[in-house]
Amino acid sequence: MSPILTRRRHTLKLLAMLVAFCFSLLPFTAGADSLLKSTHPYIENLGSQSPELDVFRVDTAQNAPVLIYVHGGAWAFGTKSAVHDMPAHFSRNGFVFVSVDYRLVPTVGVQEQLGDIDKALDWVAQNITRYGGNPTNLHLMGHSAGAHLVTMSVVAPKPSTKRLINHGALRSAIVNDTLAYDIPRIAKTAQQGRLPRLYARAFGQNPADWRAMSPIHQINAAQKLPAFLLLYSGAGETARRQSFARDFAAHLRKSGGQVSLFNGQSYSHREILRRIGTLPDLTQAIDGFLAQTR
């Protein structure tokens, strides 16, 4: 094939990809493509005090893969409603999208939060078929503190999560912009070796607790792992966020884990979440990863 024809084919391919991406950003229309939402408590023994989760889907969803999102907020703040364009984007791309609330520090500790995530995953596995989802095709995503909770949930899984991983139902984890892979390392680089207040509020000042809550120190080569996508932003400290993510990726690979990384140094900590569905490179990195693991 001549160089001119090759360039033309390449150009047409790029144009087709751009058109497809632009169409993916169009709003939902009424009728068959309407986006539906329902809200459910998921810890039965807490009664009215149970945290809740939101299920988003199109009304034509059937046997769809499920993306479960865990919000950030320094373990002490945040809400399941802070989902921005994600429900529309992922539902349009064939997923049922679930956003999870969990109890917050200081009402509970991080260990209890991990228990909440485990129970939320169990609820999804038991109930998502009613909403067009496939309980054997689950994917977990978190941002910031939620990214830490997601990572801990899969490297040191509690009973329901461990069962889902071992049975191949929990297929991937998307970890979006956290330093909390290695909490002792955060303390080491802080003044007087003490955790900054943001982290100390959740993890205290006991180095043994820091290690126990650090995903990088909890990887077990004997534990089956889903595929990982690690994303990191710039926000003025690109090298630091990149270094933490790459070190964690290296540890995962040593244990046989499958890991991809996304360099989001052009984006802030907020943008790397809020612009999912609108920034082409960020969105395509996540969509491409999910396409390979769903």
Side-chain angles (χ1 to χ4, degrees), residues 214-268:
S214 295
I216 201 167
H217 298 298
Q218 298 304 314
I219 297 171
N220 181 351
Q223 170 62 43
K224 184 178 179 180
L225 294 171
F228 277 85
L229 172 63
L230 313 181
L231 304 95
Y232 54 89
S233 72
E237 53 180 13
T238 302
R240 190 173 185 223
R241 291 181 183 272
Q242 181 185 77
S243 177
F244 274 68
R246 290 190 172 183
D247 283 355
F248 182 66
H251 278 73
L252 284 173
R253 290 180 179 125
K254 286 180 183 178
S255 294
Q258 176 187 339
V259 193
S260 302
L261 292 109
F262 173 76
N263 183 342
Q265 63 182 345
S266 300
Y267 310 123
S268 71

Side-chain angles (χ1 to χ4, degrees), residues 110 183 187 194-197 199-207 209-210:
V110 177
I183 299 162
R194 295 177 64 83
L195 276 181
R197 184 171 179 270
Y199 297 98
R201 182 171 48 208
F203 303 108
Q205 292 293 357
N206 184 343
D209 293 336
W210 302 345

Side-chain angles (χ1 to χ4, degrees), residues 13-286:
K13 184 178 180 181
L14 289 175
L15 286 172
M17 290 174 63
L18 180 61
V19 169
F21 179 76
C22 291
F23 271 107
S24 77
L25 301 183
L26 293 175
F28 275 94
T29 58
D33 289 329
S34 295
L35 183 63
L36 306 176
K37 173 186 172 184
S38 57
T39 301
H40 312 272
Y42 64 84
I43 304 180
E44 186 175 343
N45 62 5
L46 291 181
S48 62
Q49 301 302 309
S50 171
E52 297 179 329
L53 53 80
D54 292 334
V55 178
F56 298 87
R57 70 197 192 282
V58 294
D59 52 10
T60 54
Q62 187 174 3
N63 203 37
V66 183
L67 180 57
I68 302 140
Y69 173 68
V70 181
H71 68 78
W75 300 272
F77 309 100
T79 171
K80 62 181 172 57
S81 63
V83 288
H84 313 290
D85 294 314
M86 291 189 291
H89 174 77
F90 291 112
S91 296
R92 184 185 297 111
N93 285 348
F95 283 80
V96 171
F97 184 85
V98 179
S99 184
V100 177
D101 261 344
Y102 49 90
R103 293 173 292 170
L104 300 172
V105 170
T107 302
V108 300
V110 177
Q111 193 66 250
E112 286 76 22
Q113 293 179 331
L114 292 168
D116 289 355
I117 303 306
D118 186 64
K119 289 180 174 63
L121 285 169
D122 185 59
W123 187 95
V124 170
Q126 299 297 325
N127 295 278
I128 205 65
T129 54
R130 302 177 191 174
Y131 306 97
N134 181 348
T136 68
N137 193 347
L138 307 179
H139 307 262
L140 189 58
M141 176 169 66
H143 175 252
S144 194
H148 167 264
L149 294 174
V150 162
T151 311
M152 279 295 296
S153 291
V154 296
V155 299
K158 292 186 179 297
S160 295
T161 308
K162 186 172 185 177
R163 182 179 66 253
L164 292 169
I165 294 172
N166 288 343
H167 290 172
L170 183 54
R171 302 187 182 186
S172 75
I174 300 172
V175 182
N176 191 354
D177 214 30
T178 184
L179 286 176
Y181 299 112
D182 191 344
I183 299 162
R185 182 178 171 189
I186 296 172
K188 185 177 180 180
T189 58
Q191 289 184 346
Q192 300 178 338
R194 295 177 64 83
L195 276 181
R197 184 171 179 270
L198 182 151
Y199 297 98
R201 182 171 48 208
F203 303 108
Q205 292 293 357
N206 184 343
D209 293 336
W210 302 345
R211 188 177 181 88
M213 285 291 114
S214 295
I216 201 167
H217 298 298
Q218 298 304 314
I219 297 171
N220 181 351
Q223 170 62 43
K224 184 178 179 180
L225 294 171
F228 277 85
L229 172 63
L230 313 181
L231 304 95
Y232 54 89
S233 72
E237 53 180 13
T238 302
R240 190 173 185 223
R241 291 181 183 272
Q242 181 185 77
S243 177
F244 274 68
R246 290 190 172 183
D247 283 355
F248 182 66
H251 278 73
L252 284 173
R253 290 180 179 125
K254 286 180 183 178
S255 294
Q258 176 187 339
V259 193
S260 302
L261 292 109
F262 173 76
N263 183 342
Q265 63 182 345
S266 300
Y267 310 123
S268 71
H269 184 61
R270 289 187 176 187
E271 286 175 326
I272 205 167
L273 170 70
R274 296 186 179 191
R275 301 296 301 278
I276 294 172
T278 60
L279 284 172
D281 60 341
L282 171 63
T283 303
Q284 289 167 8
I286 295 172

Side-chain angles (χ1 to χ4, degrees), residues 1-14:
M1 184 180 295
S2 72
I4 294 176
L5 289 176
T6 300
R7 284 196 298 271
R8 285 179 178 174
R9 176 170 290 185
H10 182 65
T11 300
L12 289 171
K13 184 178 180 181
L14 289 175

